[in-house]
Amino acid sequence: MTSRIIISVDDYGMTPGINQAVETLAGIGTITATNIMVNMPYIDEIVEMQHKFPNLSIGLHLNLTQGTPLSPPEKIPTLVDNTGQFLLLPELRKRIVQNKISATECATEIEAQLTKAQELLGQRLDHWNSHQGVHRFDPIYSQALKLLAPTSMKTMRTHRHIFIENGQAYKPYPQNITRFGLKRIGVELYYSWLSRRASQNFAQPNWLLAGIGKSTTDILSILCDARLPDETFEIPTHPAVTTDLLSNTSMLQSRIDEFHLLSSTDFANCIRTSHELMNFQNL
């Protein structure tokens, strides 16, 4: 056996530069999945792009923290600011803690995004996750599980992390508390619980591949030489060929760096010999 890796690209539809990165990397074969933001201005490009790459997994990237919602703002007042835009993540999290986010309103917007995604892609959708990881929190998570379970999306992004350090993968189990610390162990136990909640309806990779204090580019750079267990992994990435039209994000140069690495001949050659690439349908 060998380790099997999904390399996925988030934020399809946000800008032409992100969409172009997905198409270029899918053509090279260094990514195996992309995740669509259906409330973004360039989302319709996915309709044509899907036919070019039949083996590319396409998933719904639920978004409740950026841009204009698909639902009328008056129907989801706890999710938007006074201009009708989604709350930014810090404010959303604050309101979740204060129990000021309506489960009914979450369901309304999730259903609107699901309907739009199905109009664009139908049964081609095979997995789901969320922008900025908002499916870590209730009431968003519970509503998403309920609404998405009956769909064609039978797989999803796991919450659980495995960490690379010095080329070796370490699982954040309690016996490794001296390496990770009590706080990280506690967070990962919570993430494991979240993943178990979904396991009845959704298959998931075993782990998200990460590194404490490391960027995605760092992880990708050492991936070919990393010693990974014979399990399944996802690496979420955010490449773009240009940062034009990107706003309200701290991820600018990192997107360019990720694209350059993922599109390099050296990376393409090494990843194919060191690990097995897979998509969500293979789960």
mmCIF file with all atom_site columns, all heavy atoms in Angstrom, residues 110 128 134-146 156 159 193-199 204:
data_model
loop_
_atom_site.group_PDB
_atom_site.id
_atom_site.type_symbol
_atom_site.label_atom_id
_atom_site.label_alt_id
_atom_site.label_comp_id
_atom_site.label_asym_id
_atom_site.label_entity_id
_atom_site.label_seq_id
_atom_site.pdbx_PDB_ins_code
_atom_site.Cartn_x
_atom_site.Cartn_y
_atom_site.Cartn_z
_atom_site.occupancy
_atom_site.B_iso_or_equiv
_atom_site.pdbx_formal_charge
_atom_site.auth_seq_id
_atom_site.auth_comp_id
_atom_site.auth_asym_id
_atom_site.auth_atom_id
_atom_site.pdbx_PDB_model_num
ATOM 1   N N   . ILE A 1 110 ? -27.708 28.000 3.151  1.00 0.00 ? 110 ILE A N   1
ATOM 2   C CA  . ILE A 1 110 ? -27.102 26.756 2.686  1.00 0.00 ? 110 ILE A CA  1
ATOM 3   C C   . ILE A 1 110 ? -27.943 26.150 1.563  1.00 0.00 ? 110 ILE A C   1
ATOM 4   O O   . ILE A 1 110 ? -27.419 25.703 0.535  1.00 0.00 ? 110 ILE A O   1
ATOM 5   C CB  . ILE A 1 110 ? -26.927 25.754 3.841  1.00 0.00 ? 110 ILE A CB  1
ATOM 6   C CG1 . ILE A 1 110 ? -25.855 26.265 4.809  1.00 0.00 ? 110 ILE A CG1 1
ATOM 7   C CG2 . ILE A 1 110 ? -26.557 24.370 3.321  1.00 0.00 ? 110 ILE A CG2 1
ATOM 8   C CD1 . ILE A 1 110 ? -25.782 25.494 6.112  1.00 0.00 ? 110 ILE A CD1 1
ATOM 9   N N   . TRP A 1 128 ? -18.180 18.170 -0.311 1.00 0.00 ? 128 TRP A N   1
ATOM 10  C CA  . TRP A 1 128 ? -18.412 19.527 0.178  1.00 0.00 ? 128 TRP A CA  1
ATOM 11  C C   . TRP A 1 128 ? -17.458 19.858 1.313  1.00 0.00 ? 128 TRP A C   1
ATOM 12  O O   . TRP A 1 128 ? -16.851 18.976 1.926  1.00 0.00 ? 128 TRP A O   1
ATOM 13  C CB  . TRP A 1 128 ? -19.867 19.713 0.631  1.00 0.00 ? 128 TRP A CB  1
ATOM 14  C CG  . TRP A 1 128 ? -20.248 18.967 1.896  1.00 0.00 ? 128 TRP A CG  1
ATOM 15  C CD1 . TRP A 1 128 ? -20.612 17.656 1.986  1.00 0.00 ? 128 TRP A CD1 1
ATOM 16  C CD2 . TRP A 1 128 ? -20.285 19.502 3.224  1.00 0.00 ? 128 TRP A CD2 1
ATOM 17  N NE1 . TRP A 1 128 ? -20.886 17.325 3.295  1.00 0.00 ? 128 TRP A NE1 1
ATOM 18  C CE2 . TRP A 1 128 ? -20.703 18.448 4.071  1.00 0.00 ? 128 TRP A CE2 1
ATOM 19  C CE3 . TRP A 1 128 ? -20.043 20.755 3.772  1.00 0.00 ? 128 TRP A CE3 1
ATOM 20  C CZ2 . TRP A 1 128 ? -20.850 18.609 5.449  1.00 0.00 ? 128 TRP A CZ2 1
ATOM 21  C CZ3 . TRP A 1 128 ? -20.204 20.922 5.138  1.00 0.00 ? 128 TRP A CZ3 1
ATOM 22  C CH2 . TRP A 1 128 ? -20.610 19.855 5.963  1.00 0.00 ? 128 TRP A CH2 1
ATOM 23  N N   . VAL A 1 134 ? -16.106 27.242 8.259  1.00 0.00 ? 134 VAL A N   1
ATOM 24  C CA  . VAL A 1 134 ? -17.249 27.551 9.123  1.00 0.00 ? 134 VAL A CA  1
ATOM 25  C C   . VAL A 1 134 ? -18.072 26.307 9.460  1.00 0.00 ? 134 VAL A C   1
ATOM 26  O O   . VAL A 1 134 ? -18.917 26.358 10.365 1.00 0.00 ? 134 VAL A O   1
ATOM 27  C CB  . VAL A 1 134 ? -18.168 28.637 8.508  1.00 0.00 ? 134 VAL A CB  1
ATOM 28  C CG1 . VAL A 1 134 ? -17.435 29.954 8.401  1.00 0.00 ? 134 VAL A CG1 1
ATOM 29  C CG2 . VAL A 1 134 ? -18.718 28.200 7.146  1.00 0.00 ? 134 VAL A CG2 1
ATOM 30  N N   . HIS A 1 135 ? -17.824 25.190 8.766  1.00 0.00 ? 135 HIS A N   1
ATOM 31  C CA  . HIS A 1 135 ? -18.545 23.974 9.152  1.00 0.00 ? 135 HIS A CA  1
ATOM 32  C C   . HIS A 1 135 ? -17.931 23.317 10.393 1.00 0.00 ? 135 HIS A C   1
ATOM 33  O O   . HIS A 1 135 ? -18.312 22.211 10.767 1.00 0.00 ? 135 HIS A O   1
ATOM 34  C CB  . HIS A 1 135 ? -18.648 22.987 7.982  1.00 0.00 ? 135 HIS A CB  1
ATOM 35  C CG  . HIS A 1 135 ? -17.366 22.324 7.573  1.00 0.00 ? 135 HIS A CG  1
ATOM 36  N ND1 . HIS A 1 135 ? -16.245 23.013 7.214  1.00 0.00 ? 135 HIS A ND1 1
ATOM 37  C CD2 . HIS A 1 135 ? -17.058 21.003 7.440  1.00 0.00 ? 135 HIS A CD2 1
ATOM 38  C CE1 . HIS A 1 135 ? -15.289 22.160 6.883  1.00 0.00 ? 135 HIS A CE1 1
ATOM 39  N NE2 . HIS A 1 135 ? -15.752 20.940 7.019  1.00 0.00 ? 135 HIS A NE2 1
ATOM 40  N N   . ARG A 1 136 ? -17.052 24.030 11.067 1.00 0.00 ? 136 ARG A N   1
ATOM 41  C CA  . ARG A 1 136 ? -16.601 23.599 12.394 1.00 0.00 ? 136 ARG A CA  1
ATOM 42  C C   . ARG A 1 136 ? -17.586 24.007 13.485 1.00 0.00 ? 136 ARG A C   1
ATOM 43  O O   . ARG A 1 136 ? -17.467 23.539 14.619 1.00 0.00 ? 136 ARG A O   1
ATOM 44  C CB  . ARG A 1 136 ? -15.240 24.231 12.720 1.00 0.00 ? 136 ARG A CB  1
ATOM 45  C CG  . ARG A 1 136 ? -14.076 23.746 11.879 1.00 0.00 ? 136 ARG A CG  1
ATOM 46  C CD  . ARG A 1 136 ? -12.844 24.568 12.139 1.00 0.00 ? 136 ARG A CD  1
ATOM 47  N NE  . ARG A 1 136 ? -12.993 25.938 11.637 1.00 0.00 ? 136 ARG A NE  1
ATOM 48  C CZ  . ARG A 1 136 ? -12.119 26.917 11.855 1.00 0.00 ? 136 ARG A CZ  1
ATOM 49  N NH1 . ARG A 1 136 ? -11.054 26.705 12.608 1.00 0.00 ? 136 ARG A NH1 1
ATOM 50  N NH2 . ARG A 1 136 ? -12.322 28.122 11.348 1.00 0.00 ? 136 ARG A NH2 1
ATOM 51  N N   . PHE A 1 137 ? -18.518 24.893 13.158 1.00 0.00 ? 137 PHE A N   1
ATOM 52  C CA  . PHE A 1 137 ? -19.338 25.529 14.178 1.00 0.00 ? 137 PHE A CA  1
ATOM 53  C C   . PHE A 1 137 ? -20.820 25.235 13.979 1.00 0.00 ? 137 PHE A C   1
ATOM 54  O O   . PHE A 1 137 ? -21.313 25.207 12.857 1.00 0.00 ? 137 PHE A O   1
ATOM 55  C CB  . PHE A 1 137 ? -19.139 27.055 14.143 1.00 0.00 ? 137 PHE A CB  1
ATOM 56  C CG  . PHE A 1 137 ? -17.705 27.490 14.075 1.00 0.00 ? 137 PHE A CG  1
ATOM 57  C CD1 . PHE A 1 137 ? -17.237 28.229 12.993 1.00 0.00 ? 137 PHE A CD1 1
ATOM 58  C CD2 . PHE A 1 137 ? -16.819 27.158 15.082 1.00 0.00 ? 137 PHE A CD2 1
ATOM 59  C CE1 . PHE A 1 137 ? -15.915 28.634 12.928 1.00 0.00 ? 137 PHE A CE1 1
ATOM 60  C CE2 . PHE A 1 137 ? -15.494 27.557 15.027 1.00 0.00 ? 137 PHE A CE2 1
ATOM 61  C CZ  . PHE A 1 137 ? -15.031 28.292 13.945 1.00 0.00 ? 137 PHE A CZ  1
ATOM 62  N N   . ASP A 1 138 ? -21.524 25.065 15.067 1.00 0.00 ? 138 ASP A N   1
ATOM 63  C CA  . ASP A 1 138 ? -22.983 25.009 15.035 1.00 0.00 ? 138 ASP A CA  1
ATOM 64  C C   . ASP A 1 138 ? -23.526 26.418 15.283 1.00 0.00 ? 138 ASP A C   1
ATOM 65  O O   . ASP A 1 138 ? -22.882 27.217 15.968 1.00 0.00 ? 138 ASP A O   1
ATOM 66  C CB  . ASP A 1 138 ? -23.504 24.043 16.108 1.00 0.00 ? 138 ASP A CB  1
ATOM 67  C CG  . ASP A 1 138 ? -23.734 22.646 15.565 1.00 0.00 ? 138 ASP A CG  1
ATOM 68  O OD1 . ASP A 1 138 ? -24.014 22.533 14.350 1.00 0.00 ? 138 ASP A OD1 1
ATOM 69  O OD2 . ASP A 1 138 ? -23.640 21.689 16.339 1.00 0.00 ? 138 ASP A OD2 1
ATOM 70  N N   . PRO A 1 139 ? -24.709 26.720 14.688 1.00 0.00 ? 139 PRO A N   1
ATOM 71  C CA  . PRO A 1 139 ? -25.644 25.799 14.027 1.00 0.00 ? 139 PRO A CA  1
ATOM 72  C C   . PRO A 1 139 ? -25.341 25.504 12.558 1.00 0.00 ? 139 PRO A C   1
ATOM 73  O O   . PRO A 1 139 ? -26.067 24.747 11.919 1.00 0.00 ? 139 PRO A O   1
ATOM 74  C CB  . PRO A 1 139 ? -26.971 26.540 14.130 1.00 0.00 ? 139 PRO A CB  1
ATOM 75  C CG  . PRO A 1 139 ? -26.596 27.976 14.070 1.00 0.00 ? 139 PRO A CG  1
ATOM 76  C CD  . PRO A 1 139 ? -25.302 28.083 14.816 1.00 0.00 ? 139 PRO A CD  1
ATOM 77  N N   . ILE A 1 140 ? -24.252 26.053 12.014 1.00 0.00 ? 140 ILE A N   1
ATOM 78  C CA  . ILE A 1 140 ? -23.946 25.865 10.595 1.00 0.00 ? 140 ILE A CA  1
ATOM 79  C C   . ILE A 1 140 ? -23.746 24.384 10.282 1.00 0.00 ? 140 ILE A C   1
ATOM 80  O O   . ILE A 1 140 ? -24.296 23.859 9.307  1.00 0.00 ? 140 ILE A O   1
ATOM 81  C CB  . ILE A 1 140 ? -22.703 26.680 10.203 1.00 0.00 ? 140 ILE A CB  1
ATOM 82  C CG1 . ILE A 1 140 ? -22.963 28.169 10.399 1.00 0.00 ? 140 ILE A CG1 1
ATOM 83  C CG2 . ILE A 1 140 ? -22.292 26.380 8.771  1.00 0.00 ? 140 ILE A CG2 1
ATOM 84  C CD1 . ILE A 1 140 ? -21.712 29.028 10.341 1.00 0.00 ? 140 ILE A CD1 1
ATOM 85  N N   . TYR A 1 141 ? -22.959 23.687 11.110 1.00 0.00 ? 141 TYR A N   1
ATOM 86  C CA  . TYR A 1 141 ? -22.610 22.298 10.815 1.00 0.00 ? 141 TYR A CA  1
ATOM 87  C C   . TYR A 1 141 ? -23.839 21.398 10.815 1.00 0.00 ? 141 TYR A C   1
ATOM 88  O O   . TYR A 1 141 ? -24.045 20.614 9.885  1.00 0.00 ? 141 TYR A O   1
ATOM 89  C CB  . TYR A 1 141 ? -21.592 21.809 11.843 1.00 0.00 ? 141 TYR A CB  1
ATOM 90  C CG  . TYR A 1 141 ? -20.935 20.492 11.499 1.00 0.00 ? 141 TYR A CG  1
ATOM 91  C CD1 . TYR A 1 141 ? -20.469 20.231 10.219 1.00 0.00 ? 141 TYR A CD1 1
ATOM 92  C CD2 . TYR A 1 141 ? -20.744 19.519 12.472 1.00 0.00 ? 141 TYR A CD2 1
ATOM 93  C CE1 . TYR A 1 141 ? -19.837 19.031 9.915  1.00 0.00 ? 141 TYR A CE1 1
ATOM 94  C CE2 . TYR A 1 141 ? -20.109 18.325 12.185 1.00 0.00 ? 141 TYR A CE2 1
ATOM 95  C CZ  . TYR A 1 141 ? -19.668 18.086 10.900 1.00 0.00 ? 141 TYR A CZ  1
ATOM 96  O OH  . TYR A 1 141 ? -19.046 16.897 10.606 1.00 0.00 ? 141 TYR A OH  1
ATOM 97  N N   . SER A 1 142 ? -24.665 21.527 11.817 1.00 0.00 ? 142 SER A N   1
ATOM 98  C CA  . SER A 1 142 ? -25.844 20.666 11.896 1.00 0.00 ? 142 SER A CA  1
ATOM 99  C C   . SER A 1 142 ? -26.765 20.870 10.704 1.00 0.00 ? 142 SER A C   1
ATOM 100 O O   . SER A 1 142 ? -27.302 19.899 10.138 1.00 0.00 ? 142 SER A O   1
ATOM 101 C CB  . SER A 1 142 ? -26.610 20.947 13.195 1.00 0.00 ? 142 SER A CB  1
ATOM 102 O OG  . SER A 1 142 ? -25.857 20.547 14.323 1.00 0.00 ? 142 SER A OG  1
ATOM 103 N N   . GLN A 1 143 ? -26.949 22.118 10.294 1.00 0.00 ? 143 GLN A N   1
ATOM 104 C CA  . GLN A 1 143 ? -27.817 22.392 9.152  1.00 0.00 ? 143 GLN A CA  1
ATOM 105 C C   . GLN A 1 143 ? -27.207 21.862 7.853  1.00 0.00 ? 143 GLN A C   1
ATOM 106 O O   . GLN A 1 143 ? -27.909 21.320 7.000  1.00 0.00 ? 143 GLN A O   1
ATOM 107 C CB  . GLN A 1 143 ? -28.092 23.894 9.049  1.00 0.00 ? 143 GLN A CB  1
ATOM 108 C CG  . GLN A 1 143 ? -28.846 24.471 10.231 1.00 0.00 ? 143 GLN A CG  1
ATOM 109 C CD  . GLN A 1 143 ? -30.159 23.759 10.480 1.00 0.00 ? 143 GLN A CD  1
ATOM 110 O OE1 . GLN A 1 143 ? -30.946 23.542 9.557  1.00 0.00 ? 143 GLN A OE1 1
ATOM 111 N NE2 . GLN A 1 143 ? -30.413 23.389 11.726 1.00 0.00 ? 143 GLN A NE2 1
ATOM 112 N N   . ALA A 1 144 ? -25.898 21.998 7.702  1.00 0.00 ? 144 ALA A N   1
ATOM 113 C CA  . ALA A 1 144 ? -25.240 21.480 6.507  1.00 0.00 ? 144 ALA A CA  1
ATOM 114 C C   . ALA A 1 144 ? -25.351 19.960 6.425  1.00 0.00 ? 144 ALA A C   1
ATOM 115 O O   . ALA A 1 144 ? -25.663 19.397 5.358  1.00 0.00 ? 144 ALA A O   1
ATOM 116 C CB  . ALA A 1 144 ? -23.775 21.904 6.487  1.00 0.00 ? 144 ALA A CB  1
ATOM 117 N N   . LEU A 1 145 ? -25.115 19.276 7.528  1.00 0.00 ? 145 LEU A N   1
ATOM 118 C CA  . LEU A 1 145 ? -25.221 17.818 7.522  1.00 0.00 ? 145 LEU A CA  1
ATOM 119 C C   . LEU A 1 145 ? -26.623 17.375 7.111  1.00 0.00 ? 145 LEU A C   1
ATOM 120 O O   . LEU A 1 145 ? -26.794 16.450 6.304  1.00 0.00 ? 145 LEU A O   1
ATOM 121 C CB  . LEU A 1 145 ? -24.875 17.262 8.906  1.00 0.00 ? 145 LEU A CB  1
ATOM 122 C CG  . LEU A 1 145 ? -23.425 17.379 9.367  1.00 0.00 ? 145 LEU A CG  1
ATOM 123 C CD1 . LEU A 1 145 ? -23.283 16.848 10.784 1.00 0.00 ? 145 LEU A CD1 1
ATOM 124 C CD2 . LEU A 1 145 ? -22.485 16.650 8.430  1.00 0.00 ? 145 LEU A CD2 1
ATOM 125 N N   . LYS A 1 146 ? -27.621 18.026 7.640  1.00 0.00 ? 146 LYS A N   1
ATOM 126 C CA  . LYS A 1 146 ? -29.002 17.649 7.361  1.00 0.00 ? 146 LYS A CA  1
ATOM 127 C C   . LYS A 1 146 ? -29.381 17.908 5.903  1.00 0.00 ? 146 LYS A C   1
ATOM 128 O O   . LYS A 1 146 ? -30.011 17.057 5.258  1.00 0.00 ? 146 LYS A O   1
ATOM 129 C CB  . LYS A 1 146 ? -29.943 18.419 8.286  1.00 0.00 ? 146 LYS A CB  1
ATOM 130 C CG  . LYS A 1 146 ? -31.430 18.114 8.078  1.00 0.00 ? 146 LYS A CG  1
ATOM 131 C CD  . LYS A 1 146 ? -32.283 18.788 9.133  1.00 0.00 ? 146 LYS A CD  1
ATOM 132 C CE  . LYS A 1 146 ? -32.242 20.295 9.031  1.00 0.00 ? 146 LYS A CE  1
ATOM 133 N NZ  . LYS A 1 146 ? -33.146 20.958 10.000 1.00 0.00 ? 146 LYS A NZ  1
ATOM 134 N N   . MET A 1 156 ? -16.831 14.396 2.002  1.00 0.00 ? 156 MET A N   1
ATOM 135 C CA  . MET A 1 156 ? -16.604 15.736 2.529  1.00 0.00 ? 156 MET A CA  1
ATOM 136 C C   . MET A 1 156 ? -15.183 15.848 3.071  1.00 0.00 ? 156 MET A C   1
ATOM 137 O O   . MET A 1 156 ? -14.487 14.842 3.268  1.00 0.00 ? 156 MET A O   1
ATOM 138 C CB  . MET A 1 156 ? -17.615 16.070 3.642  1.00 0.00 ? 156 MET A CB  1
ATOM 139 C CG  . MET A 1 156 ? -17.487 15.198 4.880  1.00 0.00 ? 156 MET A CG  1
ATOM 140 S SD  . MET A 1 156 ? -18.562 15.706 6.255  1.00 0.00 ? 156 MET A SD  1
ATOM 141 C CE  . MET A 1 156 ? -17.677 17.157 6.862  1.00 0.00 ? 156 MET A CE  1
ATOM 142 N N   . HIS A 1 159 ? -12.266 17.074 9.364  1.00 0.00 ? 159 HIS A N   1
ATOM 143 C CA  . HIS A 1 159 ? -11.772 18.128 10.254 1.00 0.00 ? 159 HIS A CA  1
ATOM 144 C C   . HIS A 1 159 ? -10.426 17.754 10.881 1.00 0.00 ? 159 HIS A C   1
ATOM 145 O O   . HIS A 1 159 ? -9.756  18.609 11.451 1.00 0.00 ? 159 HIS A O   1
ATOM 146 C CB  . HIS A 1 159 ? -12.770 18.365 11.402 1.00 0.00 ? 159 HIS A CB  1
ATOM 147 C CG  . HIS A 1 159 ? -14.120 18.856 10.953 1.00 0.00 ? 159 HIS A CG  1
ATOM 148 N ND1 . HIS A 1 159 ? -15.091 18.006 10.452 1.00 0.00 ? 159 HIS A ND1 1
ATOM 149 C CD2 . HIS A 1 159 ? -14.662 20.090 10.925 1.00 0.00 ? 159 HIS A CD2 1
ATOM 150 C CE1 . HIS A 1 159 ? -16.171 18.710 10.157 1.00 0.00 ? 159 HIS A CE1 1
ATOM 151 N NE2 . HIS A 1 159 ? -15.939 19.972 10.437 1.00 0.00 ? 159 HIS A NE2 1
ATOM 152 N N   . TRP A 1 193 ? -14.422 14.433 16.893 1.00 0.00 ? 193 TRP A N   1
ATOM 153 C CA  . TRP A 1 193 ? -15.843 14.278 17.199 1.00 0.00 ? 193 TRP A CA  1
ATOM 154 C C   . TRP A 1 193 ? -16.703 14.805 16.063 1.00 0.00 ? 193 TRP A C   1
ATOM 155 O O   . TRP A 1 193 ? -17.700 14.182 15.673 1.00 0.00 ? 193 TRP A O   1
ATOM 156 C CB  . TRP A 1 193 ? -16.168 14.999 18.502 1.00 0.00 ? 193 TRP A CB  1
ATOM 157 C CG  . TRP A 1 193 ? -17.631 14.999 18.837 1.00 0.00 ? 193 TRP A CG  1
ATOM 158 C CD1 . TRP A 1 193 ? -18.373 13.935 19.291 1.00 0.00 ? 193 TRP A CD1 1
ATOM 159 C CD2 . TRP A 1 193 ? -18.535 16.111 18.741 1.00 0.00 ? 193 TRP A CD2 1
ATOM 160 N NE1 . TRP A 1 193 ? -19.686 14.325 19.476 1.00 0.00 ? 193 TRP A NE1 1
ATOM 161 C CE2 . TRP A 1 193 ? -19.809 15.638 19.150 1.00 0.00 ? 193 TRP A CE2 1
ATOM 162 C CE3 . TRP A 1 193 ? -18.386 17.432 18.365 1.00 0.00 ? 193 TRP A CE3 1
ATOM 163 C CZ2 . TRP A 1 193 ? -20.934 16.466 19.190 1.00 0.00 ? 193 TRP A CZ2 1
ATOM 164 C CZ3 . TRP A 1 193 ? -19.495 18.263 18.396 1.00 0.00 ? 193 TRP A CZ3 1
ATOM 165 C CH2 . TRP A 1 193 ? -20.755 17.783 18.805 1.00 0.00 ? 193 TRP A CH2 1
ATOM 166 N N   . LEU A 1 194 ? -16.340 15.953 15.493 1.00 0.00 ? 194 LEU A N   1
ATOM 167 C CA  . LEU A 1 194 ? -17.080 16.497 14.354 1.00 0.00 ? 194 LEU A CA  1
ATOM 168 C C   . LEU A 1 194 ? -17.065 15.535 13.176 1.00 0.00 ? 194 LEU A C   1
ATOM 169 O O   . LEU A 1 194 ? -18.094 15.321 12.516 1.00 0.00 ? 194 LEU A O   1
ATOM 170 C CB  . LEU A 1 194 ? -16.479 17.839 13.927 1.00 0.00 ? 194 LEU A CB  1
ATOM 171 C CG  . LEU A 1 194 ? -16.658 19.030 14.857 1.00 0.00 ? 194 LEU A CG  1
ATOM 172 C CD1 . LEU A 1 194 ? -15.952 20.255 14.280 1.00 0.00 ? 194 LEU A CD1 1
ATOM 173 C CD2 . LEU A 1 194 ? -18.132 19.338 15.107 1.00 0.00 ? 194 LEU A CD2 1
ATOM 174 N N   . SER A 1 195 ? -15.924 14.947 12.911 1.00 0.00 ? 195 SER A N   1
ATOM 175 C CA  . SER A 1 195 ? -15.824 14.015 11.790 1.00 0.00 ? 195 SER A CA  1
ATOM 176 C C   . SER A 1 195 ? -16.663 12.766 12.022 1.00 0.00 ? 195 SER A C   1
ATOM 177 O O   . SER A 1 195 ? -17.293 12.236 11.096 1.00 0.00 ? 195 SER A O   1
ATOM 178 C CB  . SER A 1 195 ? -14.359 13.642 11.541 1.00 0.00 ? 195 SER A CB  1
ATOM 179 O OG  . SER A 1 195 ? -13.630 14.770 11.078 1.00 0.00 ? 195 SER A OG  1
ATOM 180 N N   . ARG A 1 196 ? -16.690 12.286 13.255 1.00 0.00 ? 196 ARG A N   1
ATOM 181 C CA  . ARG A 1 196 ? -17.518 11.114 13.559 1.00 0.00 ? 196 ARG A CA  1
ATOM 182 C C   . ARG A 1 196 ? -18.996 11.433 13.368 1.00 0.00 ? 196 ARG A C   1
ATOM 183 O O   . ARG A 1 196 ? -19.770 10.572 12.938 1.00 0.00 ? 196 ARG A O   1
ATOM 184 C CB  . ARG A 1 196 ? -17.253 10.630 14.984 1.00 0.00 ? 196 ARG A CB  1
ATOM 185 C CG  . ARG A 1 196 ? -15.902 9.948  15.160 1.00 0.00 ? 196 ARG A CG  1
ATOM 186 C CD  . ARG A 1 196 ? -15.858 9.163  16.468 1.00 0.00 ? 196 ARG A CD  1
ATOM 187 N NE  . ARG A 1 196 ? -16.067 10.009 17.635 1.00 0.00 ? 196 ARG A NE  1
ATOM 188 C CZ  . ARG A 1 196 ? -15.087 10.676 18.267 1.00 0.00 ? 196 ARG A CZ  1
ATOM 189 N NH1 . ARG A 1 196 ? -13.846 10.591 17.842 1.00 0.00 ? 196 ARG A NH1 1
ATOM 190 N NH2 . ARG A 1 196 ? -15.361 11.423 19.329 1.00 0.00 ? 196 ARG A NH2 1
ATOM 191 N N   . ARG A 1 197 ? -19.416 12.640 13.683 1.00 0.00 ? 197 ARG A N   1
ATOM 192 C CA  . ARG A 1 197 ? -20.813 13.040 13.493 1.00 0.00 ? 197 ARG A CA  1
ATOM 193 C C   . ARG A 1 197 ? -21.243 12.877 12.043 1.00 0.00 ? 197 ARG A C   1
ATOM 194 O O   . ARG A 1 197 ? -22.401 12.543 11.762 1.00 0.00 ? 197 ARG A O   1
ATOM 195 C CB  . ARG A 1 197 ? -21.022 14.502 13.894 1.00 0.00 ? 197 ARG A CB  1
ATOM 196 C CG  . ARG A 1 197 ? -21.130 14.764 15.372 1.00 0.00 ? 197 ARG A CG  1
ATOM 197 C CD  . ARG A 1 197 ? -21.454 16.236 15.621 1.00 0.00 ? 197 ARG A CD  1
ATOM 198 N NE  . ARG A 1 197 ? -22.748 16.635 15.062 1.00 0.00 ? 197 ARG A NE  1
ATOM 199 C CZ  . ARG A 1 197 ? -23.188 17.886 15.015 1.00 0.00 ? 197 ARG A CZ  1
ATOM 200 N NH1 . ARG A 1 197 ? -22.430 18.874 15.470 1.00 0.00 ? 197 ARG A NH1 1
ATOM 201 N NH2 . ARG A 1 197 ? -24.367 18.166 14.509 1.00 0.00 ? 197 ARG A NH2 1
ATOM 202 N N   . ALA A 1 198 ? -20.329 13.131 11.128 1.00 0.00 ? 198 ALA A N   1
ATOM 203 C CA  . ALA A 1 198 ? -20.667 13.098 9.706  1.00 0.00 ? 198 ALA A CA  1
ATOM 204 C C   . ALA A 1 198 ? -20.470 11.735 9.066  1.00 0.00 ? 198 ALA A C   1
ATOM 205 O O   . ALA A 1 198 ? -20.921 11.514 7.939  1.00 0.00 ? 198 ALA A O   1
ATOM 206 C CB  . ALA A 1 198 ? -19.825 14.130 8.960  1.00 0.00 ? 198 ALA A CB  1
ATOM 207 N N   . SER A 1 199 ? -19.807 10.819 9.746  1.00 0.00 ? 199 SER A N   1
ATOM 208 C CA  . SER A 1 199 ? -19.345 9.590  9.101  1.00 0.00 ? 199 SER A CA  1
ATOM 209 C C   . SER A 1 199 ? -20.474 8.667  8.645  1.00 0.00 ? 199 SER A C   1
ATOM 210 O O   . SER A 1 199 ? -20.273 7.827  7.755  1.00 0.00 ? 199 SER A O   1
ATOM 211 C CB  . SER A 1 199 ? -18.415 8.822  10.046 1.00 0.00 ? 199 SER A CB  1
ATOM 212 O OG  . SER A 1 199 ? -19.088 8.484  11.256 1.00 0.00 ? 199 SER A OG  1
ATOM 213 N N   . GLN A 1 204 ? -14.875 10.380 4.265  1.00 0.00 ? 204 GLN A N   1
ATOM 214 C CA  . GLN A 1 204 ? -13.897 11.452 4.444  1.00 0.00 ? 204 GLN A CA  1
ATOM 215 C C   . GLN A 1 204 ? -12.487 10.889 4.331  1.00 0.00 ? 204 GLN A C   1
ATOM 216 O O   . GLN A 1 204 ? -12.250 9.730  4.685  1.00 0.00 ? 204 GLN A O   1
ATOM 217 C CB  . GLN A 1 204 ? -14.056 12.091 5.832  1.00 0.00 ? 204 GLN A CB  1
ATOM 218 C CG  . GLN A 1 204 ? -15.437 12.629 6.141  1.00 0.00 ? 204 GLN A CG  1
ATOM 219 C CD  . GLN A 1 204 ? -15.647 12.845 7.632  1.00 0.00 ? 204 GLN A CD  1
ATOM 220 O OE1 . GLN A 1 204 ? -14.956 13.637 8.252  1.00 0.00 ? 204 GLN A OE1 1
ATOM 221 N NE2 . GLN A 1 204 ? -16.603 12.129 8.216  1.00 0.00 ? 204 GLN A NE2 1
#
